[in-house]
Amino acid sequence: MSLLEGLRGALFSLRTNKLRTGLTMLGIIIGIAAVIAVVTIGLGGKAAIMLEMEKNGINLFILYPKSAGQTGESVGSGLTIQDGESLRRALTQVKTLIPTSVEYTALEVNQKRSSAMIVGTTPEFADLRRREIANGRYFSEEEFSADRRVVVIDQTLTEDFFGAGNPLGQQVIIQNVPCRVIGVLAKDESAFAQFDMGPKNAFAYIPWGSWSDIFQSTRVDQLEGATYREADLKGTIASAQRLLNVRHGTMDQYEVYNVQQLVQSANQITRILTSFIGLVAGISLLVGGIGIMNIMLVSVTERTREIGLRKAVGAKERDILAQFLLEAIVLSLIGGILGIALGIGSAQLVAYLLHWPPLLSGWAIFSAVTFSIGVGLFFGFYPALKAAKLEPMAALRYE
């Protein structure tokens, strides 16, 4: 029996019982579709995370002293302005390094009060964090050097104090010190947004010297920086930690947060979820394979007389074996192809709804096709072997 004849016979047999064929393929279709969709969505999610990280700057880092337990107080020596200046001189691969100090307090505008995190920093902060200005501007180098009482507020404080009005030029009272609003930041959607503490998007930014005067403190909570190249980030962080420990006579007292850590965590979570859901999809493929075996056994029983007749006119065992194996393979292969189409369509829809890049995995599609053929071979072999071993006379007498 030629391969072409076997395929024709297999297709004819499957068309004879269309409903049963369709229901049998359903398990394969769902399993393959689930595998393709999960892998594609996982790749799209990973790509979306990487695009977001790259957009926000994947070479950014934050240095800060270790905190003691749940108190949030730093252990050992804190950071100083001189630390930042020393690191900038010593680490030539550092593009930007700025001090940041934060204090949670109440602000007041026309006897209306609202609490926020008051951030003392430098003019480079907006560029480093890639923060967009929605209205007005960020404070200048001149205003920073002169410790001007100017403030840039976020959208939350703008809505709390001014509603739909124009906040520019208005006075905001911080610790009884009036500061003039010169700008409004757009909503922070960067990777570093989750690192900030306090009420979400309730922040006000002032020159570090003004912050130090208002709160009567010279402490620096963290040093925020960026390297020229992403490849320099790991070495720069290690060098910065070592230099800080040497300057303060401490050992391992400074921690670092960087966007790459967030990328690694997100990738790990994506891999775990993809593996788990893929395992569930694999179980459905196993169930689909068992369904194929069950239907093929039923088919062998129903066609016992046909098998006996074919053997009586000269068909060999290998011909019968090949016939039923081809039927099982064609059944699983058609189910696999339909599953691939359904999986790709589902993944494209999810990517569209979540605004993720739709990434198709060639190896996942190849694996799905190979697996569907393998399912047909594995679960179709026993029924095919059973059919091939039937005795012609017994098969002809079968009722």
Side-chain angles (χ1 to χ4, degrees):
M1 181 182 68
S2 68
L3 179 61
L4 184 59
E5 290 176 349
L7 287 174
R8 286 176 178 170
L11 290 172
F12 176 79
S13 176
L14 294 177
R15 283 200 304 267
T16 303
N17 296 286
K18 295 177 182 176
L19 180 60
R20 187 169 69 185
T21 299
L23 292 174
T24 304
M25 288 192 300
L26 194 58
I28 299 295
I29 292 172
I30 293 174
I32 295 294
V35 170
I36 296 294
V38 166
V39 172
T40 304
I41 292 170
L43 289 173
K46 182 178 179 180
I49 291 170
M50 289 302 299
L51 286 173
E52 186 64 25
M53 297 303 105
E54 290 172 2
K55 184 171 62 178
N56 292 303
I58 205 164
N59 59 335
L60 304 181
F61 63 91
I62 295 178
L63 282 161
Y64 56 97
K66 286 185 176 180
S67 56
Q70 297 179 348
T71 64
E73 297 178 359
S74 62
V75 296
S77 300
L79 293 169
T80 66
I81 287 290
Q82 290 71 32
D83 287 332
E85 294 172 352
S86 176
L87 291 179
R88 291 187 75 164
R89 288 193 300 268
L91 303 174
T92 57
Q93 60 269 48
V94 171
K95 179 181 179 181
T96 307
L97 190 65
I98 63 174
T100 303
S101 301
V102 185
E103 191 73 42
Y104 184 64
T105 190
L107 289 76
E108 184 177 338
V109 175
N110 298 327
Q111 298 183 338
K112 185 176 181 180
R113 296 170 66 86
S114 181
S115 296
M117 302 295 281
I118 312 301
V119 181
T121 185
T122 72
E124 295 102 326
F125 179 85
D127 288 335
L128 180 66
R129 290 282 194 100
R130 303 193 182 183
R131 296 296 305 273
E132 298 288 337
I133 295 289
N135 195 9
R137 60 179 177 82
Y138 204 72
F139 51 83
S140 65
E141 193 68 45
E142 180 185 352
E143 291 167 327
F144 171 77
S145 301
D147 296 337
R148 296 282 175 81
R149 301 298 192 258
V150 293
V151 61
V152 178
I153 60 177
D154 68 2
Q155 294 284 353
T156 301
L157 289 176
T158 301
E159 294 170 3
D160 288 347
F161 286 134
F162 307 105
N166 184 9
L168 299 184
Q170 301 291 332
Q171 296 289 330
V172 174
I173 309 300
I174 305 174
Q175 295 286 93
N176 297 318
V177 176
C179 297
R180 180 169 56 90
V181 178
I182 61 170
V184 176
L185 286 176
K187 185 177 180 181
D188 186 4
E189 297 180 349
S190 71
F192 278 100
Q194 61 88 34
F195 183 77
D196 293 320
M197 304 301 291
K200 187 177 180 181
N201 290 331
F203 287 82
Y205 302 86
I206 62 177
W208 188 88
S210 301
W211 184 95
S212 180
D213 292 341
I214 290 173
F215 294 104
Q216 295 297 296
S217 173
T218 59
R219 81 171 193 272
V220 174
D221 292 319
Q222 57 197 35
L223 294 171
E224 304 188 23
T227 57
Y228 286 100
R229 300 185 309 160
E230 180 188 340
D232 295 330
L233 184 61
K234 187 175 181 180
T236 300
I237 288 172
S239 298
Q241 289 174 300
R242 185 172 59 253
L243 289 171
L244 286 173
N245 282 308
V246 170
R247 281 182 57 83
H248 293 279
T250 58
M251 292 184 62
D252 193 28
Q253 294 300 322
Y254 298 93
E255 295 185 321
V256 179
Y257 170 87
N258 65 80
V259 177
Q260 287 185 357
Q261 293 172 335
L262 189 62
V263 172
Q264 292 169 359
S265 298
N267 286 341
Q268 185 176 6
I269 293 171
T270 301
R271 283 195 298 269
I272 292 172
L273 289 175
T274 301
S275 299
F276 176 74
I277 301 174
L279 178 62
V280 175
I283 293 172
S284 69
L285 279 173
L286 179 63
V287 173
I290 293 172
I292 289 176
M293 178 183 284
N294 183 49
I295 292 303
M296 292 306 297
L297 286 171
V298 171
S299 180
V300 169
T301 302
E302 290 178 345
R303 296 161 62 187
T304 300
R305 289 176 62 84
E306 175 194 331
I307 295 168
L309 182 61
R310 291 194 62 189
K311 281 196 166 188
V313 296
K316 297 181 175 58
E317 284 190 4
R318 65 172 179 269
D319 295 326
I320 304 299
L321 181 68
Q323 177 189 353
F324 281 89
L325 271 180
L326 275 174
E327 287 185 20
I329 291 172
V330 169
L331 187 66
S332 58
L333 184 58
I334 293 175
I337 293 172
L338 293 176
I340 290 170
L342 179 61
I344 292 174
S346 301
Q348 296 280 348
L349 178 61
V350 171
Y352 173 77
L353 294 175
L354 297 179
H355 306 290
W356 284 354
L359 295 180
L360 295 178
S361 172
W363 70 263
I365 295 174
F366 175 77
S367 299
V369 173
T370 304
F371 193 84
S372 62
I373 294 173
V375 166
L377 279 171
F378 182 80
F379 288 99
F381 182 77
Y382 175 71
L385 184 62
K386 183 180 178 181
K389 294 297 184 182
L390 285 175
E391 291 294 332
M393 294 307 295
L396 286 170
R397 290 196 299 267
Y398 181 81
E399 294 294 340

